[in-house]
Amino acid sequence: MRLAIALLTLLGLTACDQNSDSLIVGGKDFSESSILSEMMAALAEDAGIPVTRRTFLGDTMVNLESLRSGEIDVYAEYNGTGLLMLGQPAMADGDAAMERVRSLYQPLGIVWGNRFGFANNYGLAMRPGRAEELGVTSISDLVAEAGGLTIGIEENFETRPLDGFGPMTARYGMEFGSVSTVSSEERPTLYDDLLAGSVDVIEVFTTDGQIADLGLVLLEDDLNFFPVYEAAPLVRSDALVRFPELQGALDRLSGQLDAQMMQELNSRVDQDALSPREVARAALSELGLIDTDDALEVTEPVVVAHSPLIGADAETGTALRAVRQAYPGRRVLLQSEADPLGVVGTGGAPLALAAAVEFTELEEDGDLATRPFEAFGVVGQSYVHLIGLGDTRRLADVGTLATGPEGSASHRTGQIMTAVLDGITLSPTADGAPGDADAALVVAPIGSAVVEDLLEDGRLLALEGWDSGNTLVRFPQLRQARIPAGSYDGQLRAIETLSSQLVLAGPIVVNTDAVGPQGPGASIPTEVAALPDNTVLAINGALGTLIGLDPAIRAAPALAPTLPSPPAAVNPSSAISFMTALVLLMFGWLIWLYARPERR
């Protein structure tokens, strides 16, 4: 027993000696903290300091207590959090906050290093289309609209006494119509709710990778309500004595990082599923702080091309959310293009959000030619907005019609209109500006900000009589519809118009002798690989719509209904036939045995 105790004591002393010879780097349990921990560890190693990593250790309380007890030597902390942990109010002035935390933590044997250069504050974000529709760029702009809006927040933000939801609404003097609260573990679902349109505003951290990936609008905190949370190394003072090179190693990262860069790095971990260590080392290499041969293999993002007239409204958000669910662990980006399907056809994107009218090409003889693309599911509906400008008040008064650039949905619709109506000349423009045209044609969902801008000096014109003759047969991608009264300011009555289904689409699979991604005889006439059936079904399922695809456009083969299996053949095989014959012979023999006369 004495020998065992002596051995355990010796092992414990050895472990203590090893810990004292190694810098122990801690970290909180989220991506940004892990990235910063790996950066500090890499810089320390580059300075010749041996490092032990305990990243993703836990929350703030766990890391701070581990630092005070000597279980770790350094981790990345935020000055605002540092103040709150000692019962002090956070501050909006970063310099004052750093001076305060340094004076408070020094007696505890803990030193605040120089700031990394960015702040990760609380903030509010919106979809660009919704923000533009409401004319909101700052939190103060929300005050007049908040009563009719839903905000999504995390439960921790709801309960914070100084910089949480209640104090924020009190400071700005506003009250939201409804509040949707999620747990800390469900925080990423706030972005899905925003894309789905179930909430109008969400609470975010300003370095969240999704802000840039989804193109969200971060509202200006114009009253400087939210305290500053600037990141910096938090180090035990005895570690600086044990490792004289440590201070210089950490100072190399001083002022090197900004919020935009942290958004990108966070996105590489959260969306591209890369490890914090490889992301951190690659970032340090790009900054010229370390030399490394490690290549960062970032998976190419999944790009969804879409019309700029759709922007990042509810329809684009629905498409983006569905594609993200179909491609777990992949970054999904929006790409604004005048001709989304054309970009897919040339290899610029694998997917497009397009109107049904974009699936055809008007030929010189007036017939429609089908373009080589297929639809995966319904996202929404685009409407033809014919806007009279100046003195133009009827369709008959339109001589010059402004459209989007050639290849766009509005220009294709304009070509069809000129094939049906006489006396109209198209005027395509790259930026959609109508110029001196009599009217403008915009194909977009109802509520389009572009339409609202044009209606400030114009009016919606009715497109009536489209069902006369064989027009509906010739151009089935355009259906009769109405823009309901009140859809736009000053619109007192419903407007007769046309609509075109809005769908997610990709390159078509055609039958050839080649072997493509969907099996023998499947290839594509473009540079983009056709989507596998399971991906098509995943996108369609994620859209969750009960509306079927317009029969005027081609649906992906994977969406074809499953036919019932034909009845099995009477004699499926010779072996079964042989066994059936034996069974019948046995039954016949048994009957004969039963019915034969008894032998005397």
Side-chain angles (χ1 to χ4, degrees):
M1 181 65 71
R2 283 195 296 268
L3 178 61
I5 293 174
L7 288 173
L8 290 174
T9 303
L10 181 61
L11 289 173
L13 292 174
T14 303
C16 292
D17 288 340
Q18 288 175 346
N19 285 339
S20 64
D21 293 337
S22 175
L23 178 73
I24 306 176
V25 180
K28 299 187 185 182
D29 50 2
F30 58 93
S31 299
E32 181 171 288
S33 181
S34 295
I35 294 170
L36 296 174
S37 295
E38 291 292 349
M39 284 184 169
M40 292 188 294
L43 289 172
E45 290 174 331
D46 192 60
I49 302 172
V51 172
T52 299
R53 290 170 171 81
R54 295 191 65 187
T55 58
F56 228 78
L57 182 61
D59 60 15
T60 300
M61 188 69 72
V62 171
N63 277 271
L64 184 56
E65 185 57 36
S66 297
L67 191 71
R68 294 175 63 180
S69 64
E71 294 182 26
I72 62 175
D73 295 311
V74 59
Y75 79 99
E77 189 52 276
Y78 304 89
N79 53 11
T81 304
L83 289 171
L84 294 173
M85 292 303 294
L86 295 186
Q88 301 291 311
M91 303 177 179
D93 186 329
D95 293 336
M98 285 305 299
E99 183 179 350
R100 182 63 175 154
V101 292
R102 281 174 172 154
S103 64
L104 290 172
Y105 280 76
Q106 186 175 8
L108 304 176
I110 298 175
V111 176
W112 283 84
N114 292 323
R115 287 166 283 183
F116 297 130
F118 73 94
N120 186 3
N121 303 333
Y122 279 110
L124 299 183
M126 299 180 69
R127 297 192 316 270
R130 186 64 166 144
E132 186 175 0
E133 176 187 345
L134 299 176
V136 172
T137 59
S138 67
I139 299 180
S140 288
D141 293 337
L142 279 178
V143 174
E145 308 288 345
L149 303 180
T150 299
I151 185 171
I153 61 174
E154 179 192 355
E155 60 185 6
N156 180 55
F157 181 66
E158 184 179 35
T159 58
R160 293 178 73 91
L162 300 177
D163 58 353
F165 179 69
M168 179 196 71
T169 55
R171 176 67 182 91
Y172 277 94
M174 62 182 173
E175 183 176 354
F176 285 91
S178 59
V179 180
S180 175
T181 306
V182 301
S183 65
S184 299
E185 294 76 14
E186 296 175 327
R187 186 174 177 273
T189 64
L190 289 175
Y191 288 96
D192 292 332
D193 294 340
L194 186 67
L195 293 178
S198 57
V199 298
D200 303 286
V201 189
I202 61 171
E203 160 246 328
V204 299
F205 295 137
T206 54
T207 58
D208 283 348
Q210 294 96 321
I211 296 174
D213 285 348
L214 305 179
L216 303 181
V217 173
L218 189 62
L219 301 184
E220 179 190 358
D221 179 18
D222 51 316
L223 295 184
N224 294 320
F225 166 76
F226 290 118
V228 67
Y229 290 87
E230 295 173 322
L234 195 57
V235 196
R236 285 180 58 86
S237 55
D238 64 348
L240 296 174
V241 175
R242 285 162 41 216
F243 305 105
E245 304 88 354
L246 180 58
Q247 185 67 64
L250 297 178
D251 285 346
R252 295 174 65 193
L253 200 56
S254 174
Q256 293 291 323
L257 308 175
D258 58 24
Q260 183 177 358
M261 185 176 185
M262 285 311 305
Q263 286 181 359
E264 175 66 21
L265 299 182
N266 288 334
S267 180
R268 288 180 178 178
V269 174
D270 296 331
Q271 303 301 321
D272 296 332
L274 299 177
S275 72
R277 181 176 298 188
E278 60 183 331
V279 169
R281 290 184 63 83
L284 291 175
S285 177
E286 292 175 7
L287 292 170
L289 299 180
I290 64 171
D291 293 325
T292 177
D293 296 329
D294 299 338
L296 187 63
E297 297 182 1
V298 180
T299 305
E300 286 293 322
V302 180
V303 177
V304 181
H306 69 94
S307 166
L309 296 178
I310 298 172
D313 295 315
E315 290 78 10
T316 311
T318 299
L320 193 59
R321 181 168 52 92
V323 177
R324 290 179 71 188
Q325 291 183 29
Y327 288 88
R330 293 279 298 276
R331 192 186 314 193
V332 182
L333 302 178
L334 296 173
Q335 182 172 304
S336 180
E337 298 287 348
D339 183 7
L341 289 179
V343 173
V344 170
T346 57
L351 290 161
L353 178 59
V357 70
E358 298 177 69
F359 281 70
T360 57
E361 200 91 57
L362 189 65
E363 298 181 327
E364 292 183 0
D365 58 4
D367 293 332
L368 284 181
T370 302
R371 303 174 74 191
F373 302 100
E374 59 190 20
F376 306 144
V378 179
V379 176
Q381 203 78 9
S382 280
Y383 290 79
V384 176
H385 296 80
L386 184 62
I387 304 161
L389 305 172
D391 296 329
T392 306
R393 300 186 177 277
R394 298 179 307 155
L395 177 59
D397 299 331
V398 177
T400 305
L401 181 61
T403 70
E406 294 186 9
S408 65
S410 63
H411 185 258
R412 293 178 188 277
T413 303
Q415 288 179 313
I416 292 175
M417 289 179 60
T418 57
V420 175
L421 306 172
D422 296 327
I424 295 180
T425 301
L426 296 185
S427 176
T429 58
D431 57 359
D436 296 329
D438 300 317
L441 180 64
V442 178
V443 178
I446 290 178
S448 166
V450 175
V451 174
E452 290 182 339
D453 290 342
L454 291 171
L455 287 177
E456 291 181 0
D457 299 314
R459 65 210 56 83
L460 287 172
L461 304 182
L463 272 170
E464 298 175 334
W466 196 256
D467 57 346
S468 61
N470 65 345
T471 305
L472 292 177
V473 177
R474 289 178 62 195
F475 310 111
Q477 293 81 8
L478 292 172
R479 309 287 183 180
Q480 289 183 297
R482 285 183 178 178
I483 300 175
S487 298
Y488 297 96
D489 291 342
Q491 181 199 344
L492 302 179
R493 62 184 180 86
I495 301 295
E496 289 289 336
T497 188
L498 305 173
S499 70
S500 187
Q501 201 172 62
L502 198 60
V503 299
L504 272 171
I508 197 172
V509 176
V510 297
N511 294 324
T512 69
D513 294 332
V515 178
Q518 296 182 343
S523 65
I524 54 172
T526 70
E527 300 176 13
V528 184
L531 268 62
D533 287 350
N534 59 341
T535 304
V536 172
L537 293 173
I539 292 174
N540 184 270
L543 286 171
T545 180
L546 299 178
I547 302 175
L549 288 164
D550 191 320
I553 57 179
R554 188 190 301 268
L559 303 180
T562 304
L563 300 177
S565 301
V570 176
N571 296 315
S573 70
S574 58
I576 294 178
S577 299
F578 178 72
M579 290 298 298
T580 302
L582 286 179
V583 171
L584 292 175
L585 287 173
M586 185 181 67
F587 272 110
W589 180 63
L590 291 174
I591 293 172
W592 178 79
L593 288 176
Y594 179 79
R596 69 175 180 167
E598 184 178 357
R599 294 186 178 182
R600 300 286 183 223

